[in-house]
């Protein structure tokens, strides 16, 4: 009989051992550990992708294997600075940088110097192409873009993308946007905003290195034909702003692209003085030596003239008594800053216009979209109105938003501003008021040419404004008109100008992008910027007239401060070592004389084993009388040294002082101290162009 087994009672489970501390911590922190692991993984990926950018050296954003092909340019578009359209196909082997811009945009203007730096650094490898995709209707015209190209010194090729064809092909969303294309025609990097040099310099270097190693880089320079050959020969070049000095019967003109300030007497418009050498620079000093860079706004206090030195990002002061130029505000850096402080130590951002009330200078800071205030006594400067956001928003001084304020005036109770990018006229309370409002105009993309009242009024990128007789006179720049705005009734009507660009006088006057206004002697003076003219309109409305400037020189296109005019190499001269005399004789044409109202100079610089009087390396002669006798000391050393003579002479035909010319030349004289001659000699004869 089988043995039956007794059923067994199940044994009670053995009580578990008490867990250790570590398992408890791990169990309770498991969700946090998993989250931290994910976070660290994300940080690791981001550090790989963004590390080069955050470290200050941007790498190409797209790996070579995954780069998209850059879309080709459409056919049938207008091009500038080149005799034929460019194609990306023909540019294979070159590094190409596209700059999508519109010429009214201050941010786009800030990119231009960076593009020039990149072009100078990579002259054989890089081709920059400006793709002009216009915001305003006036900006669509090729002739208007040509004027902007000349005004801003753009020398690379520019295509008129007036219908946004290229813009759409590259899915661009904002001005300015830059696109880097490698020599194989692939997109490397696309970025919006300013600071183009720092954003693209590293990427361009990497692309050049990569394609150089592949032997796929072309270093043959691209032949361009800059529009500068068509520049105007009128005495003024793109005059930006003007101001009237009623107490002293003067009219002061910012001769913007000649980098100088011109003081005219009233009512005869005779040239009283010229401030600035004409070279681009930020040098203080006497009237003949001081330099500016595209000065715009002006204000007057007795014998002092204040200047918005726009492209230097400085505020300058001219003293008509001592004949000296000094810097009041700005450290020369262009920075979007909201901080004030000691005026000479802070960066500014494209100061465009000025108005003085007592000891306060109010500045239309176009690049910051703000109004700033400079305390002339304390030497302190800070934002006064505007949050820095680009918009048309009314409110308190700190809450309100402006958009590229480019003109400013006052009735003594309020400031009035030509808010160019919103095509509006704004008002700003003076202390103790704290409000900002709008007289006429709507918003960033609401513009046109419509007279009327309130929100029905449309302007198009106004740049100039002045107060007189209870009314605001407005340079409605892109409509080529002068408007009268009543700030109380909020009305606007056309005062002068028919609309089409031109320079016709009379009752059917024409203007071409006028930028500045001033009232003197019952006349409204107009800086007719693209016409290179000074005009006036009778306040009675009886027609427009062009001012004939007597004795003001035509000037050559301005050179950078470290450049010179045409260079001439002279025959080497061998002299005895020791003290010598350099004799300089520059003969003017028969019947011509130096213009004593213009800053003629001869600058002599010594290089190598030559020194000038008192051991100096350079000396400048103002309004030189020939012959010039310059003491020099030559040391006997192996090899040659040299003297350079930068000659800038303004001369006019006697009896016809309106017919004036400028001679701008660098003479280079090699010198050695191992010869038998005693004395050095330079003789030149000038022939009128």
């Amino acid at each position: 009989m089988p043995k039956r087994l007794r059923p067994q009672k199940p044994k009670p489970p053995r009580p578990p051992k008490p867990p250790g501390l570590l398992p408890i911590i791990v169990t309770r922190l498991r969700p946090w550990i998993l989250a931290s692991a994910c976070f660290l993984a994300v940080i690791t990926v981001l550090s790989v992708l963004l590390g080069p950018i955050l470290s200050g050296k941007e790498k190409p954003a797209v790996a070579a294997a995954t780069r998209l092909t850059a879309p080709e340019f459409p056919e049938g578009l207008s091009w500038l600075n080149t005799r034929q359209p460019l194609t990306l196909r023909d540019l294979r082997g070159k590094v190409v940088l596209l700059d999508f811009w519109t010429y009214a945009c201050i941010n786009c203007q800030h990119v231009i110097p960076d593009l020039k730096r990149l072009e100078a650094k990579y002259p054989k490898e890089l081709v920059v192409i400006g793709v002009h995709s216009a915001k305003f209707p006036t900006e669509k015209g090729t002739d208007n873009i040509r004027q902007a190209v000349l005004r801003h010194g753009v020398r690379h090729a520019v295509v008129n993308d007036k219908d946004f064809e290229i813009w759409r092909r590259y899915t661009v969303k904002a001005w300015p946007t830059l696109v880097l294309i490698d020599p194989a025609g692939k997109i490397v990097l696309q970025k919006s905003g300013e600071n183009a040099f720092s954003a693209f310099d590293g990427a361009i270097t990497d692309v050049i290195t990569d394609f150089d190693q592949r032997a796929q880089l072309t270093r043959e320079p691209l032949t361009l034909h800059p529009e500068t050959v068509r520049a105007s020969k009128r005495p003024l070049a793109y005059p930006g702003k003007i101001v009237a000095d009623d107490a002293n019967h003067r009219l002061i003109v910012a001769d913007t692209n000649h980098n100088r300030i011109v003081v005219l007497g009233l009512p005869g418009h005779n040239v009283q003085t010229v401030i600035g050498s004409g070279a681009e620079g930020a040098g203080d000093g006497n009237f003949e030596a001081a330099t500016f860079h595209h000065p715009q706004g002006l204000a007057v206090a007795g014998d002092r003239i204040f200047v918005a030195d726009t492209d230097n990002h400085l505020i300058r002061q001219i003293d008509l008594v001592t004949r000296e130029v000094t810097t009041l505000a700005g450290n020369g850096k262009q920075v979007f800053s909201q901080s004030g402080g000691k005026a000479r130590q802070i960066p500014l951002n494209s100061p465009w216009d000025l108005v003085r009330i007592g000891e306060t200078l109010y500045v239309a800071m176009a690049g910051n979209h703000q109004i700033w205030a400079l305390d002339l006594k304390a030497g302190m400067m800070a934002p006064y109105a505007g949050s820095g956001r680009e918009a048309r928003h009314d409110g308190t001084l700190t809450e309100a938003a402006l958009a590229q304020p480019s003109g400013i005036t006052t009735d003594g109770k309020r400031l009035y501003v030509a808010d160019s990018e919103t095509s509006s006229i704004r008002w700003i309370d003076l202390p103790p008021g704290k409000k900002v409002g709008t007289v006429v105009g709507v918003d960033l993309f609401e513009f046109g040419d419509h007279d009327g009242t309130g929100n029905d009024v449309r302007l198009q990128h106004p740049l100039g404004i002045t107060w007189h007789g209870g009314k605001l006179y407005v340079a409605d720049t892109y409509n080529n008109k002068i408007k009268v705005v009543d700030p109380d009734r909020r009305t606007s009507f056309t005062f002068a100008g028919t609309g089409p660009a031109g320079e016709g006088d009379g009752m059917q006057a024409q203007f071409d992008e006028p930028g500045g206004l001033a009232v003197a002697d019952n006349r409204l003076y107009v800086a007719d910027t693209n016409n290179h003219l000074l005009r006036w309109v009778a306040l009675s409305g009886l027609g427009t007239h062009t001012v004939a400037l007597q004795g003001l020189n035509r000037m050559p296109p301005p050179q950078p401060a470290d450049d010179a005019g045409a260079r001439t190499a002279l025959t080497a001269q061998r002299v005895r070592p020791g003290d010598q005399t350099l004799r300089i004789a520059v003969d003017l044409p028969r019947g011509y004389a130096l213009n004593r109202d213009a800053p003629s100079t001869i600058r002599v610089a010594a290089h190598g084993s030559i020194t000038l009087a008192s051991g100096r390396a350079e000396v400048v002669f103002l309004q030189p009388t020939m012959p010039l006798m310059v003491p020099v000391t030559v040391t006997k050393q192996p090899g040659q040294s040299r003297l350079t003579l930068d000659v800038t002479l303004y001369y006019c035909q006697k009896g016809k002082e309106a017919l004036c010319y400028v001679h701008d030349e660098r003479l280079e004289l090699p010198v050695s101290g191992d010869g038998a001659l005693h004395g050095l000699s330079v003789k030149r004869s000038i022939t009128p162009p």
Side-chain angles (χ1 to χ4, degrees), residues 187-250:
I187 295 176
V188 178
L189 177 63
Q190 184 162 328
K191 183 180 182 296
S192 299
E194 299 184 21
N195 302 315
F197 186 87
S198 60
F200 285 87
D201 182 36
I204 293 171
T205 297
D206 291 338
V207 170
I208 290 173
T209 301
D210 181 17
F211 280 83
D212 214 6
Q213 292 173 349
R214 302 187 204 178
Q216 295 178 1
L217 188 68
T218 300
R219 284 191 165 88
E220 183 179 349
L222 180 68
T223 301
L224 296 173
H225 299 275
E227 301 292 328
T228 49
V229 298
R230 309 179 192 181
S232 170
K233 293 184 178 180
R234 287 177 169 168
L236 300 176
Y238 298 104
K241 300 291 185 181
I242 50 179
V243 68
D245 180 6
D246 291 325
N248 295 292
H249 308 289
R250 292 190 286 233

Side-chain angles (χ1 to χ4, degrees), residues 5-268:
L5 298 175
R6 292 177 63 185
Q8 300 289 319
K9 289 184 180 180
K11 295 181 179 180
R14 184 176 297 175
K17 294 181 180 179
L21 183 61
L22 181 60
I24 293 175
I25 294 175
V26 171
T27 300
R28 293 186 177 181
L29 296 183
R30 181 176 293 145
W32 295 100
I33 293 172
L34 292 174
S36 299
C38 293
F39 177 75
L40 289 173
V42 171
I43 290 298
T44 302
V45 172
L46 288 177
S47 68
V48 172
L49 294 177
L50 298 180
I53 296 175
L54 297 177
S55 66
K57 182 181 179 184
E58 282 207 25
K59 297 288 184 180
V62 183
T66 58
R67 292 173 187 167
L68 298 176
T69 300
E72 185 58 270
F73 303 130
E75 296 181 355
L77 301 183
S78 297
W79 287 75
L80 297 169
N81 286 342
T82 178
R83 291 179 181 170
Q84 61 186 17
L86 303 182
T87 67
L88 293 178
R89 181 181 62 256
D90 293 338
L91 293 174
R92 292 293 171 86
K94 290 288 188 184
V95 182
V96 178
L97 184 61
L98 305 183
D99 171 32
F100 288 85
W101 68 304
T102 183
Y103 70 76
C105 162
I106 192 68
N107 310 98
C108 300
Q109 295 172 27
H110 289 162
V111 167
I112 293 172
D114 276 1
L115 296 178
K116 292 179 180 179
R117 287 180 64 193
L118 290 170
E119 290 175 289
K121 184 172 181 179
Y122 307 103
K124 297 180 180 180
E125 300 88 356
L126 178 66
V127 173
V128 176
I129 298 175
V131 182
H132 191 275
S133 308
K135 171 185 174 179
F136 293 99
T138 289
E139 294 178 295
K140 293 179 180 291
T142 300
D143 286 341
N144 294 334
I145 301 171
R146 178 180 291 110
Q147 294 276 25
V149 163
L150 294 170
R151 191 162 61 244
H152 296 294
V154 174
R155 300 181 68 83
H156 53 253
V158 175
V159 58
N160 184 1
D161 185 33
K162 62 184 180 66
D163 295 320
F164 288 80
E165 293 180 74
I166 307 175
W167 175 286
R168 286 192 293 269
R169 292 186 182 190
Y170 284 83
T171 63
V172 175
K173 303 297 182 185
W175 299 281
T177 292
L178 291 97
V179 181
L180 184 64
I181 302 170
D182 69 23
K186 304 290 186 178
I187 295 176
V188 178
L189 177 63
Q190 184 162 328
K191 183 180 182 296
S192 299
E194 299 184 21
N195 302 315
F197 186 87
S198 60
F200 285 87
D201 182 36
I204 293 171
T205 297
D206 291 338
V207 170
I208 290 173
T209 301
D210 181 17
F211 280 83
D212 214 6
Q213 292 173 349
R214 302 187 204 178
Q216 295 178 1
L217 188 68
T218 300
R219 284 191 165 88
E220 183 179 349
L222 180 68
T223 301
L224 296 173
H225 299 275
E227 301 292 328
T228 49
V229 298
R230 309 179 192 181
S232 170
K233 293 184 178 180
R234 287 177 169 168
L236 300 176
Y238 298 104
K241 300 291 185 181
I242 50 179
V243 68
D245 180 6
D246 291 325
N248 295 292
H249 308 289
R250 292 190 286 233
L251 188 70
I252 303 157
V253 182
D255 190 5
T256 302
N257 271 50
H258 281 154
N259 301 305
R260 63 182 180 178
I261 308 300
V262 179
V263 181
L264 304 175
L266 292 176

Side-chain angles (χ1 to χ4, degrees), residues 423 441-442 446-451 454-460 476 479 483 492:
S423 298
V442 183
E446 295 285 345
F447 42 79
D449 184 8
H450 189 267
D451 294 347
N455 291 341
D456 292 335
V457 173
R458 293 291 184 274
L459 307 173
Q460 190 185 175
D476 192 4
N479 283 325
K483 303 285 181 70
S492 174

